[in-house]
Structures are given as C-alpha cells and as structure tokens.
Amino acid sequence: MEWLRLIVGALLLIIGMCIFAVEIFGVFRFKFSLNRMHAAAMGDTLGITVSLLGLMIISGFNYTTLKMALIVVFLWCSSPVSSHLLARLEVMTNGKIEKHAEIFYSVEELENSTEETITDYREMEED
Amino acid sequence: MSRLKSSEEYSRTKAFKFFRWLGGSKDPYIDTVESRHPEEEKYTDEELEKIDEEKRLSREKAYDLGQNKYLRAFECAYKILAALFCVFFAFVLIYNVSYLPPSGAAERPVNNEVSERYIEKGLEETGAVNIVAGMILDYRAFDTLGESHVLFTATITVLILMRLDKKKDEKGDKADRASRYEPYDVILQVAAAVLVPVIMIFGIYVILNGHISPGGGFSGGAIIGAGLILYLNAFGFEKTERFFTEKLYKRVTFGSLAFYALAKCYSFFCGANHLESGISTGTPGAIISAGLILPLNIAVGLVVACTMYAFYAHFRKGGF
Amino acid sequence: MLIQTNLTQVETVTKYFFTGLLIFLAIALFFCLLRAVIGPRIVDRIMAVNMMGTVVMVMIGILAILLKEGYLVDIALIYAMISFLAVVIITKVYMGIYRQNKEEDGKERE
C-alpha cells in the first residue's frame, strides 16, 4: 500500500515537474511578452496543482493535506486574476502593441469581426 | 505677569524670558542671527537659452561613447569589476558558512543553559506547546511590549511626515489620484470578495493558535493587514473609509497596547521574576490554555494589522 | 540535512526522490531569475517573480513532507497570499502612474 501511494504520488510529481519545464521553455521561447505571460500563467496553475496533488497522495490524509488543498483552491482563484491584471498592464503601457496583436475594446467589436480581418501574427518578431 | 513689579521691570527678568521662550511667542533667531536670502540671479531669456545650450553641448561631449574613450573603458571596467566583486563576495560568504557547526549540533553557541531551561521547563511553566510563543510572551514579554511600541511609534512618525495639508486636499493633489487614475477592475473585485474572507479567517486562525502551532500575533496580524490592503485595492478608499477611520485606528491601537501593559504589569514590576499570577496554565494543547499568552497574542495581532494598513494608506493617499 | 537511522525502504526511496526534485526545482528557480533579469518589459519581470513564488511553494510543500513538519505548509499559504497581493499592488500603482504621466504630457503639449 505504501509503495502504491509512493508510485502514484511520484508519477504526479514528475508530471508536475514536466509542466514546470515546459513552462520555463515557453517563457524563453516566445518572442512577445503576452505570449510569454500565457505560458507562465497556464504552467503555474496546472503545475502547482498536479505537484501538490502528488504530495497530498504521498503524505496521506491529515491536516497537512487539507492545507495543501486550500493552497490549490487559493491559487485557482488568485492566479488567473493576477494574469489578467498583468495583461491589462501590458496592453495599457505597450505603445506598439498594435504591431503584435489585435485589440478589441468591447465584446461587440469582437463579435462583429470576421475571420479574414484577424491577421496572423505568428511569424512576426518583436523588435 | 507679576504683581510686585511693573511690566517694564518684569520684562527684564529671566523668568519672563524663560516663559516667553517656553510659549514660543518670540523666535530667538530673529534679530540676533544674521540671515538673508541669497539674491536671485537674473538672466534674460536669451542668456538662459545660451547657458542651456552650452550645458547640453558639454554633456553630449562628455557622455558620447563613440568619442570619449576613457568613458568607454570605464564602463567596461566597471561592469567587469562589479561582476568580479559579486562573485568574490558570494565565495567569501559560502566559504564562511562551511565553517559553521551543523544544524542541531551540541557544540553550537546557541545551545547554552538559557535555551536548555526554556526547552525543559517552558511547557511546564508557561503552558504553551509552542516554545517560541512561551518565550516571547511570557519570559520576555517586556521585550515584545517594546516591539509593539516600535510599530506604533513608526506609524505616528509616518503620520507626521506623510500627512496631507487641508489646503492641498481641496486642490485634490494626491488624495484623489488613486481614484482618478487607477481603474476599477470587476474581475479583481469578484476575486477579492471571495479571497478576503478566506485571508481574514486564516489570519485569525494563526493568531488564535499562536500558543499551539507556529505563528502568533506578528504573523497573524500581518496576514490580516494583507487582507485589508487587498480589499482596499479592489474597492477603493471610499469603501474602507466607512469602517477604518483614524478614530478606530487610535482606539484599537491604544486599547491593545494599554491592555498588554496592564495585563503584564505584575511581571514587569517584579523584574520578570515570574511571580505566581494565579491564572492557571490549563491543559497544554487546548485553545484556552497557557494563561495570558492568548490574549496578549490577540493584542499584538491587532496592533500589527492596524500598522500594516496605516502604513499602506499613508504612503498611498496621505491619510486613512 | 537529515540525521536519521533505521529508515524503511519506502522512506529511503522517498528521501532520495525528494532530494532530486528539490535539485530540479532549484535549477528551475535559476532560470526564472534569469528571465526576471533579462525580461525586456516590466510584465516579464513581475511574471518571473510570480513564477518563482510558485516554484518556492512547491519546494516548501516537498520540505514539509520530507521533514515531517506539517506547519511548513502554512508558510506556503502565506507565500501565495503575499505574491498575489504584490502583483495586484504593483500593477495598480504602475498603471496609475503611467496614466497620470500620460495625461500630464498631453496637457503640456497643448
């Protein structure tokens, strides 16, 4: 039983470490800051969730496990909000953002836009 | 004013001068110390432009990296030397750390008879499972009172330095900067409405469990202060002013500090000689145990939370 | 780090596994720091510091299990709160200052 718990937990932890590795790779790979932020925000939330799940399985059920679950719930609430604030800061302060991304200031604008008007920014590099 | 002497006579006595100095009705520097404002330099606009142009030219010459070879060499050397210094300093520190005795070893200098006494008799004498709480709030309670007063004094100093004048307030210089330039965010507000109660409850848990688990007044108060600051950021000053005013701050802080001092005064007057207080220590591990440590923790936590919030509000807005 | 004897087989394997994980996370932390130093925009720097916070939280969780001290998880929770608060305040203040400067520049040009 102990071995089973260790193996399952270790697998989850290794998956979490892989997510962190992918996150760091993405942070260094992308050329535009909003893309980098996307990689970091996704990796943060998923990586810590999977890692703490593995730790919870290894430690067994006690108060420590409950506190770890509380950390996961807290991060699920707070991490998207901080990413949203950071994205807003970037959109506001970056003067050249129109070069890299298309900005819709309201929902109606986004709904009215067609597929053709959306340009492909993948090949462009940040100057 | 003396009745025995006339007013002219009285004005020559030392008592009159002393009371005049005490009341502050006469500035001792006026008419006794020579003080003159420096004369303002008068230039015409053309001369000013000429001076600015000269300054700009000379600055360009001095900081032109292409021309000034000395500057380039200096920048290069500066970077290399800074990196070398950092590496050298890190090496020295790591080398020194390697000489320290291992953590928990018997020959460490901290393991003397004081810590021995705390570890062996702490639980029995204070009733706190957390030895640190028993130490700072029972054996060394006077020290902690001083720490709380330091926080209070720091807040008062910031209040004096950062306080807004009424005149400036009317102009709306700094006070409504926050509300004018910083946008309200619906997503942040919804998240704060969920998270702030959780943070508050966690802070209260840390304070109330100060004598059982690690934590206590200082860390729990910091958590509650963080929750208050988050609420302030999400909803703005108008909402927090409804419940957190200067009056509340004064009452809470004074009340906490006075309660702390009064509750522990028997110990302070006896030179912390551990007189019998008559309060039972209870069963170790229960919430209501360890004598005075729990109420003292609550007092310290309130002071720390108010200090955190007051600092933030003063630096952001210049008032509560 | 751990002076223990009479470990069972499971505990020995767990100990070595956790030590390896901690080494990996330290390397990840270094790369996050690198991003914070070279990040061309302020968003990159704040985000890198946030990432470092997450990695440190996992490290604290691992340490709590490894040293069998459950209270260390409390510190991870406080860490999460403080890093969230830091991001909120830095972005708000920075946005406010940016907008104020922009408005004052516009007034001067007029």
Side-chain angles (χ1 to χ4, degrees), chain A residues 74-107:
Chain A
F74 189 89
L75 272 173
W76 273 358
C77 292
S78 73
S79 175
V81 178
S82 52
S83 318
H84 158 77
L85 283 171
L86 282 176
R88 205 171 159 181
L89 174 71
E90 172 70 14
V91 168
M92 186 181 276
T93 55
N94 196 345
K96 296 179 193 161
I97 197 157
E98 300 282 346
K99 270 189 188 175
H100 303 280
E102 210 159 349
I103 299 168
F104 302 102
Y105 287 100
S106 65
V107 183

PDB file of all heavy atoms in Angstrom, chain A residues 74-107:
ATOM      1  N   PHE A  74      -6.857  28.353  -3.362  1.00  0.00           N
ATOM      2  CA  PHE A  74      -6.484  29.768  -3.338  1.00  0.00           C
ATOM      3  C   PHE A  74      -5.814  30.172  -4.637  1.00  0.00           C
ATOM      4  O   PHE A  74      -6.104  31.219  -5.222  1.00  0.00           O
ATOM      5  CB  PHE A  74      -5.554  30.020  -2.152  1.00  0.00           C
ATOM      6  CG  PHE A  74      -5.282  31.459  -1.896  1.00  0.00           C
ATOM      7  CD1 PHE A  74      -6.099  32.183  -1.068  1.00  0.00           C
ATOM      8  CD2 PHE A  74      -4.218  32.094  -2.500  1.00  0.00           C
ATOM      9  CE1 PHE A  74      -5.869  33.515  -0.850  1.00  0.00           C
ATOM     10  CE2 PHE A  74      -3.973  33.420  -2.289  1.00  0.00           C
ATOM     11  CZ  PHE A  74      -4.805  34.131  -1.454  1.00  0.00           C
ATOM     12  N   LEU A  75      -4.901  29.313  -5.135  1.00  0.00           N
ATOM     13  CA  LEU A  75      -4.197  29.677  -6.366  1.00  0.00           C
ATOM     14  C   LEU A  75      -5.133  29.664  -7.559  1.00  0.00           C
ATOM     15  O   LEU A  75      -4.988  30.466  -8.475  1.00  0.00           O
ATOM     16  CB  LEU A  75      -3.036  28.716  -6.598  1.00  0.00           C
ATOM     17  CG  LEU A  75      -1.768  29.163  -5.908  1.00  0.00           C
ATOM     18  CD1 LEU A  75      -0.719  28.097  -6.024  1.00  0.00           C
ATOM     19  CD2 LEU A  75      -1.246  30.419  -6.551  1.00  0.00           C
ATOM     20  N   TRP A  76      -6.114  28.746  -7.564  1.00  0.00           N
ATOM     21  CA  TRP A  76      -7.071  28.747  -8.664  1.00  0.00           C
ATOM     22  C   TRP A  76      -7.839  30.057  -8.705  1.00  0.00           C
ATOM     23  O   TRP A  76      -8.213  30.531  -9.760  1.00  0.00           O
ATOM     24  CB  TRP A  76      -8.042  27.582  -8.518  1.00  0.00           C
ATOM     25  CG  TRP A  76      -7.535  26.333  -9.126  1.00  0.00           C
ATOM     26  CD1 TRP A  76      -6.359  26.178  -9.787  1.00  0.00           C
ATOM     27  CD2 TRP A  76      -8.181  25.075  -9.132  1.00  0.00           C
ATOM     28  NE1 TRP A  76      -6.229  24.891 -10.191  1.00  0.00           N
ATOM     29  CE2 TRP A  76      -7.330  24.197  -9.812  1.00  0.00           C
ATOM     30  CE3 TRP A  76      -9.387  24.602  -8.640  1.00  0.00           C
ATOM     31  CZ2 TRP A  76      -7.669  22.860 -10.007  1.00  0.00           C
ATOM     32  CZ3 TRP A  76      -9.714  23.284  -8.835  1.00  0.00           C
ATOM     33  CH2 TRP A  76      -8.869  22.416  -9.509  1.00  0.00           C
ATOM     34  N   CYS A  77      -8.110  30.628  -7.526  1.00  0.00           N
ATOM     35  CA  CYS A  77      -8.827  31.904  -7.514  1.00  0.00           C
ATOM     36  C   CYS A  77      -7.899  33.060  -7.874  1.00  0.00           C
ATOM     37  O   CYS A  77      -8.289  33.983  -8.577  1.00  0.00           O
ATOM     38  CB  CYS A  77      -9.448  32.166  -6.142  1.00  0.00           C
ATOM     39  SG  CYS A  77     -10.770  31.062  -5.742  1.00  0.00           S
ATOM     40  N   SER A  78      -6.665  33.024  -7.365  1.00  0.00           N
ATOM     41  CA  SER A  78      -5.845  34.240  -7.438  1.00  0.00           C
ATOM     42  C   SER A  78      -4.986  34.301  -8.696  1.00  0.00           C
ATOM     43  O   SER A  78      -4.753  35.381  -9.226  1.00  0.00           O
ATOM     44  CB  SER A  78      -4.958  34.333  -6.200  1.00  0.00           C
ATOM     45  OG  SER A  78      -3.930  33.396  -6.274  1.00  0.00           O
ATOM     46  N   SER A  79      -4.503  33.162  -9.185  1.00  0.00           N
ATOM     47  CA  SER A  79      -3.550  33.200 -10.301  1.00  0.00           C
ATOM     48  C   SER A  79      -4.162  33.766 -11.590  1.00  0.00           C
ATOM     49  O   SER A  79      -3.537  34.601 -12.247  1.00  0.00           O
ATOM     50  CB  SER A  79      -2.989  31.795 -10.528  1.00  0.00           C
ATOM     51  OG  SER A  79      -2.169  31.764 -11.632  1.00  0.00           O
ATOM     52  N   PRO A  80      -5.403  33.365 -11.984  1.00  0.00           N
ATOM     53  CA  PRO A  80      -5.981  33.993 -13.179  1.00  0.00           C
ATOM     54  C   PRO A  80      -6.180  35.491 -13.027  1.00  0.00           C
ATOM     55  O   PRO A  80      -5.999  36.242 -13.985  1.00  0.00           O
ATOM     56  CB  PRO A  80      -7.328  33.284 -13.334  1.00  0.00           C
ATOM     57  CG  PRO A  80      -7.201  32.035 -12.603  1.00  0.00           C
ATOM     58  CD  PRO A  80      -6.293  32.318 -11.474  1.00  0.00           C
ATOM     59  N   VAL A  81      -6.510  35.923 -11.801  1.00  0.00           N
ATOM     60  CA  VAL A  81      -6.735  37.355 -11.599  1.00  0.00           C
ATOM     61  C   VAL A  81      -5.432  38.119 -11.788  1.00  0.00           C
ATOM     62  O   VAL A  81      -5.387  39.171 -12.432  1.00  0.00           O
ATOM     63  CB  VAL A  81      -7.327  37.602 -10.201  1.00  0.00           C
ATOM     64  CG1 VAL A  81      -7.504  39.084  -9.973  1.00  0.00           C
ATOM     65  CG2 VAL A  81      -8.649  36.914 -10.068  1.00  0.00           C
ATOM     66  N   SER A  82      -4.333  37.567 -11.238  1.00  0.00           N
ATOM     67  CA  SER A  82      -3.070  38.298 -11.391  1.00  0.00           C
ATOM     68  C   SER A  82      -2.630  38.300 -12.854  1.00  0.00           C
ATOM     69  O   SER A  82      -2.094  39.307 -13.331  1.00  0.00           O
ATOM     70  CB  SER A  82      -1.993  37.720 -10.479  1.00  0.00           C
ATOM     71  OG  SER A  82      -1.872  36.368 -10.654  1.00  0.00           O
ATOM     72  N   SER A  83      -2.900  37.183 -13.589  1.00  0.00           N
ATOM     73  CA  SER A  83      -2.546  37.192 -15.014  1.00  0.00           C
ATOM     74  C   SER A  83      -3.357  38.236 -15.758  1.00  0.00           C
ATOM     75  O   SER A  83      -2.843  38.934 -16.637  1.00  0.00           O
ATOM     76  CB  SER A  83      -2.812  35.829 -15.629  1.00  0.00           C
ATOM     77  OG  SER A  83      -2.410  34.824 -14.779  1.00  0.00           O
ATOM     78  N   HIS A  84      -4.631  38.346 -15.392  1.00  0.00           N
ATOM     79  CA  HIS A  84      -5.492  39.342 -16.037  1.00  0.00           C
ATOM     80  C   HIS A  84      -4.967  40.751 -15.800  1.00  0.00           C
ATOM     81  O   HIS A  84      -4.882  41.564 -16.740  1.00  0.00           O
ATOM     82  CB  HIS A  84      -6.913  39.198 -15.489  1.00  0.00           C
ATOM     83  CG  HIS A  84      -7.750  40.414 -15.636  1.00  0.00           C
ATOM     84  ND1 HIS A  84      -8.317  40.770 -16.836  1.00  0.00           N
ATOM     85  CD2 HIS A  84      -8.107  41.368 -14.759  1.00  0.00           C
ATOM     86  CE1 HIS A  84      -8.986  41.892 -16.669  1.00  0.00           C
ATOM     87  NE2 HIS A  84      -8.874  42.278 -15.414  1.00  0.00           N
ATOM     88  N   LEU A  85      -4.562  41.022 -14.553  1.00  0.00           N
ATOM     89  CA  LEU A  85      -4.059  42.367 -14.250  1.00  0.00           C
ATOM     90  C   LEU A  85      -2.771  42.648 -15.020  1.00  0.00           C
ATOM     91  O   LEU A  85      -2.563  43.748 -15.532  1.00  0.00           O
ATOM     92  CB  LEU A  85      -3.818  42.497 -12.748  1.00  0.00           C
ATOM     93  CG  LEU A  85      -5.076  42.687 -11.909  1.00  0.00           C
ATOM     94  CD1 LEU A  85      -4.745  42.589 -10.450  1.00  0.00           C
ATOM     95  CD2 LEU A  85      -5.681  44.045 -12.188  1.00  0.00           C
ATOM     96  N   LEU A  86      -1.907  41.622 -15.108  1.00  0.00           N
ATOM     97  CA  LEU A  86      -0.645  41.816 -15.830  1.00  0.00           C
ATOM     98  C   LEU A  86      -0.904  42.075 -17.298  1.00  0.00           C
ATOM     99  O   LEU A  86      -0.281  42.955 -17.908  1.00  0.00           O
ATOM    100  CB  LEU A  86       0.241  40.582 -15.656  1.00  0.00           C
ATOM    101  CG  LEU A  86       0.971  40.478 -14.333  1.00  0.00           C
ATOM    102  CD1 LEU A  86       1.724  39.178 -14.262  1.00  0.00           C
ATOM    103  CD2 LEU A  86       1.947  41.617 -14.196  1.00  0.00           C
ATOM    104  N   ALA A  87      -1.863  41.321 -17.888  1.00  0.00           N
ATOM    105  CA  ALA A  87      -2.164  41.522 -19.301  1.00  0.00           C
ATOM    106  C   ALA A  87      -2.702  42.923 -19.523  1.00  0.00           C
ATOM    107  O   ALA A  87      -2.374  43.596 -20.507  1.00  0.00           O
ATOM    108  CB  ALA A  87      -3.180  40.481 -19.763  1.00  0.00           C
ATOM    109  N   ARG A  88      -3.516  43.394 -18.584  1.00  0.00           N
ATOM    110  CA  ARG A  88      -4.075  44.734 -18.714  1.00  0.00           C
ATOM    111  C   ARG A  88      -2.967  45.794 -18.657  1.00  0.00           C
ATOM    112  O   ARG A  88      -2.968  46.756 -19.426  1.00  0.00           O
ATOM    113  CB  ARG A  88      -5.052  44.940 -17.561  1.00  0.00           C
ATOM    114  CG  ARG A  88      -6.079  45.952 -17.908  1.00  0.00           C
ATOM    115  CD  ARG A  88      -7.148  46.021 -16.900  1.00  0.00           C
ATOM    116  NE  ARG A  88      -7.775  47.315 -17.045  1.00  0.00           N
ATOM    117  CZ  ARG A  88      -8.769  47.732 -16.297  1.00  0.00           C
ATOM    118  NH1 ARG A  88      -9.248  46.953 -15.375  1.00  0.00           N
ATOM    119  NH2 ARG A  88      -9.284  48.900 -16.486  1.00  0.00           N
ATOM    120  N   LEU A  89      -2.020  45.569 -17.746  1.00  0.00           N
ATOM    121  CA  LEU A  89      -0.883  46.493 -17.643  1.00  0.00           C
ATOM    122  C   LEU A  89      -0.111  46.537 -18.949  1.00  0.00           C
ATOM    123  O   LEU A  89       0.256  47.608 -19.435  1.00  0.00           O
ATOM    124  CB  LEU A  89       0.018  46.039 -16.491  1.00  0.00           C
ATOM    125  CG  LEU A  89       1.323  46.775 -16.314  1.00  0.00           C
ATOM    126  CD1 LEU A  89       1.062  48.160 -15.799  1.00  0.00           C
ATOM    127  CD2 LEU A  89       2.206  46.043 -15.344  1.00  0.00           C
ATOM    128  N   GLU A  90       0.108  45.341 -19.542  1.00  0.00           N
ATOM    129  CA  GLU A  90       0.894  45.278 -20.783  1.00  0.00           C
ATOM    130  C   GLU A  90       0.162  45.993 -21.906  1.00  0.00           C
ATOM    131  O   GLU A  90       0.754  46.775 -22.657  1.00  0.00           O
ATOM    132  CB  GLU A  90       1.130  43.805 -21.136  1.00  0.00           C
ATOM    133  CG  GLU A  90       1.760  43.569 -22.478  1.00  0.00           C
ATOM    134  CD  GLU A  90       3.195  44.022 -22.509  1.00  0.00           C
ATOM    135  OE1 GLU A  90       3.746  44.261 -21.434  1.00  0.00           O
ATOM    136  OE2 GLU A  90       3.746  44.142 -23.616  1.00  0.00           O
ATOM    137  N   VAL A  91      -1.162  45.758 -22.018  1.00  0.00           N
ATOM    138  CA  VAL A  91      -1.922  46.393 -23.094  1.00  0.00           C
ATOM    139  C   VAL A  91      -1.906  47.902 -22.917  1.00  0.00           C
ATOM    140  O   VAL A  91      -1.804  48.665 -23.881  1.00  0.00           O
ATOM    141  CB  VAL A  91      -3.371  45.850 -23.103  1.00  0.00           C
ATOM    142  CG1 VAL A  91      -4.245  46.693 -24.004  1.00  0.00           C
ATOM    143  CG2 VAL A  91      -3.383  44.422 -23.573  1.00  0.00           C
ATOM    144  N   MET A  92      -1.949  48.348 -21.651  1.00  0.00           N
ATOM    145  CA  MET A  92      -2.014  49.786 -21.421  1.00  0.00           C
ATOM    146  C   MET A  92      -0.674  50.472 -21.677  1.00  0.00           C
ATOM    147  O   MET A  92      -0.619  51.547 -22.262  1.00  0.00           O
ATOM    148  CB  MET A  92      -2.453  50.037 -19.979  1.00  0.00           C
ATOM    149  CG  MET A  92      -2.688  51.488 -19.685  1.00  0.00           C
ATOM    150  SD  MET A  92      -3.157  51.691 -18.003  1.00  0.00           S
ATOM    151  CE  MET A  92      -4.883  51.378 -18.102  1.00  0.00           C
ATOM    152  N   THR A  93       0.418  49.836 -21.283  1.00  0.00           N
ATOM    153  CA  THR A  93       1.696  50.544 -21.332  1.00  0.00           C
ATOM    154  C   THR A  93       2.455  50.318 -22.632  1.00  0.00           C
ATOM    155  O   THR A  93       3.346  51.097 -22.933  1.00  0.00           O
ATOM    156  CB  THR A  93       2.598  50.121 -20.168  1.00  0.00           C
ATOM    157  OG1 THR A  93       2.738  48.714 -20.189  1.00  0.00           O
ATOM    158  CG2 THR A  93       2.024  50.562 -18.855  1.00  0.00           C
ATOM    159  N   ASN A  94       2.130  49.252 -23.369  1.00  0.00           N
ATOM    160  CA  ASN A  94       2.906  48.982 -24.578  1.00  0.00           C
ATOM    161  C   ASN A  94       2.358  49.824 -25.718  1.00  0.00           C
ATOM    162  O   ASN A  94       1.231  49.641 -26.155  1.00  0.00           O
ATOM    163  CB  ASN A  94       2.826  47.492 -24.919  1.00  0.00           C
ATOM    164  CG  ASN A  94       3.884  47.110 -25.905  1.00  0.00           C
ATOM    165  OD1 ASN A  94       4.483  47.971 -26.529  1.00  0.00           O
ATOM    166  ND2 ASN A  94       4.123  45.829 -26.041  1.00  0.00           N
ATOM    167  N   GLY A  95       3.161  50.764 -26.210  1.00  0.00           N
ATOM    168  CA  GLY A  95       2.683  51.627 -27.280  1.00  0.00           C
ATOM    169  C   GLY A  95       2.606  50.947 -28.622  1.00  0.00           C
ATOM    170  O   GLY A  95       1.837  51.338 -29.485  1.00  0.00           O
ATOM    171  N   LYS A  96       3.434  49.902 -28.795  1.00  0.00           N
ATOM    172  CA  LYS A  96       3.500  49.266 -30.119  1.00  0.00           C
ATOM    173  C   LYS A  96       2.694  47.982 -30.176  1.00  0.00           C
ATOM    174  O   LYS A  96       2.989  47.100 -30.977  1.00  0.00           O
ATOM    175  CB  LYS A  96       4.958  48.925 -30.436  1.00  0.00           C
ATOM    176  CG  LYS A  96       5.844  50.118 -30.563  1.00  0.00           C
ATOM    177  CD  LYS A  96       7.240  49.620 -30.855  1.00  0.00           C
ATOM    178  CE  LYS A  96       8.253  50.726 -30.695  1.00  0.00           C
ATOM    179  NZ  LYS A  96       9.592  50.154 -30.526  1.00  0.00           N
ATOM    180  N   ILE A  97       1.682  47.870 -29.301  1.00  0.00           N
ATOM    181  CA  ILE A  97       1.016  46.569 -29.210  1.00  0.00           C
ATOM    182  C   ILE A  97       0.218  46.246 -30.455  1.00  0.00           C
ATOM    183  O   ILE A  97       0.019  45.078 -30.786  1.00  0.00           O
ATOM    184  CB  ILE A  97       0.139  46.540 -27.951  1.00  0.00           C
ATOM    185  CG1 ILE A  97      -0.205  45.093 -27.617  1.00  0.00           C
ATOM    186  CG2 ILE A  97      -1.122  47.345 -28.125  1.00  0.00           C
ATOM    187  CD1 ILE A  97      -0.546  44.883 -26.227  1.00  0.00           C
ATOM    188  N   GLU A  98      -0.178  47.267 -31.217  1.00  0.00           N
ATOM    189  CA  GLU A  98      -0.963  47.007 -32.424  1.00  0.00           C
ATOM    190  C   GLU A  98      -0.165  46.209 -33.445  1.00  0.00           C
ATOM    191  O   GLU A  98      -0.725  45.555 -34.315  1.00  0.00           O
ATOM    192  CB  GLU A  98      -1.396  48.333 -33.050  1.00  0.00           C
ATOM    193  CG  GLU A  98      -2.245  49.206 -32.150  1.00  0.00           C
ATOM    194  CD  GLU A  98      -3.691  48.750 -32.087  1.00  0.00           C
ATOM    195  OE1 GLU A  98      -4.073  47.939 -32.937  1.00  0.00           O
ATOM    196  OE2 GLU A  98      -4.403  49.200 -31.191  1.00  0.00           O
ATOM    197  N   LYS A  99       1.170  46.265 -33.349  1.00  0.00           N
ATOM    198  CA  LYS A  99       2.006  45.506 -34.279  1.00  0.00           C
ATOM    199  C   LYS A  99       1.873  44.010 -34.060  1.00  0.00           C
ATOM    200  O   LYS A  99       2.020  43.217 -34.978  1.00  0.00           O
ATOM    201  CB  LYS A  99       3.470  45.882 -34.065  1.00  0.00           C
ATOM    202  CG  LYS A  99       3.940  47.028 -34.901  1.00  0.00           C
ATOM    203  CD  LYS A  99       5.433  47.110 -34.725  1.00  0.00           C
ATOM    204  CE  LYS A  99       5.971  48.361 -35.387  1.00  0.00           C
ATOM    205  NZ  LYS A  99       7.399  48.497 -35.099  1.00  0.00           N
ATOM    206  N   HIS A 100       1.671  43.617 -32.805  1.00  0.00           N
ATOM    207  CA  HIS A 100       1.744  42.190 -32.469  1.00  0.00           C
ATOM    208  C   HIS A 100       0.389  41.551 -32.278  1.00  0.00           C
ATOM    209  O   HIS A 100       0.252  40.352 -32.408  1.00  0.00           O
ATOM    210  CB  HIS A 100       2.548  42.003 -31.180  1.00  0.00           C
ATOM    211  CG  HIS A 100       3.904  42.571 -31.256  1.00  0.00           C
ATOM    212  ND1 HIS A 100       4.934  41.925 -31.872  1.00  0.00           N
ATOM    213  CD2 HIS A 100       4.400  43.748 -30.815  1.00  0.00           C
ATOM    214  CE1 HIS A 100       6.011  42.675 -31.803  1.00  0.00           C
ATOM    215  NE2 HIS A 100       5.718  43.790 -31.167  1.00  0.00           N
ATOM    216  N   ALA A 101      -0.604  42.350 -31.878  1.00  0.00           N
ATOM    217  CA  ALA A 101      -1.882  41.730 -31.555  1.00  0.00           C
ATOM    218  C   ALA A 101      -2.994  42.689 -31.918  1.00  0.00           C
ATOM    219  O   ALA A 101      -2.781  43.897 -32.053  1.00  0.00           O
ATOM    220  CB  ALA A 101      -1.943  41.408 -30.065  1.00  0.00           C
ATOM    221  N   GLU A 102      -4.172  42.122 -32.080  1.00  0.00           N
ATOM    222  CA  GLU A 102      -5.331  42.941 -32.397  1.00  0.00           C
ATOM    223  C   GLU A 102      -6.117  43.136 -31.116  1.00  0.00           C
ATOM    224  O   GLU A 102      -6.340  42.185 -30.366  1.00  0.00           O
ATOM    225  CB  GLU A 102      -6.195  42.218 -33.428  1.00  0.00           C
ATOM    226  CG  GLU A 102      -6.939  43.139 -34.324  1.00  0.00           C
ATOM    227  CD  GLU A 102      -7.352  42.424 -35.591  1.00  0.00           C
ATOM    228  OE1 GLU A 102      -6.873  41.307 -35.830  1.00  0.00           O
ATOM    229  OE2 GLU A 102      -8.161  42.972 -36.320  1.00  0.00           O
ATOM    230  N   ILE A 103      -6.534  44.361 -30.861  1.00  0.00           N
ATOM    231  CA  ILE A 103      -7.195  44.637 -29.586  1.00  0.00           C
ATOM    232  C   ILE A 103      -8.643  44.994 -29.847  1.00  0.00           C
ATOM    233  O   ILE A 103      -8.957  45.851 -30.682  1.00  0.00           O
ATOM    234  CB  ILE A 103      -6.497  45.797 -28.858  1.00  0.00           C
ATOM    235  CG1 ILE A 103      -5.061  45.403 -28.577  1.00  0.00           C
ATOM    236  CG2 ILE A 103      -7.191  46.104 -27.558  1.00  0.00           C
ATOM    237  CD1 ILE A 103      -4.224  46.540 -28.142  1.00  0.00           C
ATOM    238  N   PHE A 104      -9.517  44.318 -29.129  1.00  0.00           N
ATOM    239  CA  PHE A 104     -10.939  44.637 -29.192  1.00  0.00           C
ATOM    240  C   PHE A 104     -11.319  45.274 -27.861  1.00  0.00           C
ATOM    241  O   PHE A 104     -11.178  44.663 -26.811  1.00  0.00           O
ATOM    242  CB  PHE A 104     -11.773  43.378 -29.430  1.00  0.00           C
ATOM    243  CG  PHE A 104     -11.397  42.647 -30.678  1.00  0.00           C
ATOM    244  CD1 PHE A 104     -10.613  41.510 -30.625  1.00  0.00           C
ATOM    245  CD2 PHE A 104     -11.815  43.108 -31.907  1.00  0.00           C
ATOM    246  CE1 PHE A 104     -10.252  40.855 -31.777  1.00  0.00           C
ATOM    247  CE2 PHE A 104     -11.451  42.453 -33.065  1.00  0.00           C
ATOM    248  CZ  PHE A 104     -10.678  41.319 -33.002  1.00  0.00           C
ATOM    249  N   TYR A 105     -11.805  46.511 -27.932  1.00  0.00           N
ATOM    250  CA  TYR A 105     -12.088  47.202 -26.685  1.00  0.00           C
ATOM    251  C   TYR A 105     -13.447  46.870 -26.114  1.00  0.00           C
ATOM    252  O   TYR A 105     -13.763  47.233 -25.001  1.00  0.00           O
ATOM    253  CB  TYR A 105     -11.945  48.709 -26.872  1.00  0.00           C
ATOM    254  CG  TYR A 105     -10.506  49.107 -26.996  1.00  0.00           C
ATOM    255  CD1 TYR A 105      -9.942  49.363 -28.226  1.00  0.00           C
ATOM    256  CD2 TYR A 105      -9.715  49.160 -25.858  1.00  0.00           C
ATOM    257  CE1 TYR A 105      -8.609  49.687 -28.331  1.00  0.00           C
ATOM    258  CE2 TYR A 105      -8.379  49.486 -25.962  1.00  0.00           C
ATOM    259  CZ  TYR A 105      -7.828  49.746 -27.197  1.00  0.00           C
ATOM    260  OH  TYR A 105      -6.507  50.054 -27.287  1.00  0.00           O
ATOM    261  N   SER A 106     -14.303  46.192 -26.892  1.00  0.00           N
ATOM    262  CA  SER A 106     -15.588  45.777 -26.345  1.00  0.00           C
ATOM    263  C   SER A 106     -15.958  44.432 -26.934  1.00  0.00           C
ATOM    264  O   SER A 106     -15.355  43.968 -27.906  1.00  0.00           O
ATOM    265  CB  SER A 106     -16.665  46.809 -26.650  1.00  0.00           C
ATOM    266  OG  SER A 106     -16.855  46.864 -28.040  1.00  0.00           O
ATOM    267  N   VAL A 107     -16.960  43.808 -26.338  1.00  0.00           N
ATOM    268  CA  VAL A 107     -17.357  42.477 -26.800  1.00  0.00           C
ATOM    269  C   VAL A 107     -18.001  42.562 -28.175  1.00  0.00           C
ATOM    270  O   VAL A 107     -17.793  41.682 -29.027  1.00  0.00           O
ATOM    271  CB  VAL A 107     -18.323  41.858 -25.773  1.00  0.00           C
ATOM    272  CG1 VAL A 107     -18.687  40.454 -26.174  1.00  0.00           C
ATOM    273  CG2 VAL A 107     -17.700  41.868 -24.408  1.00  0.00           C
TER     274      VAL A 107
END
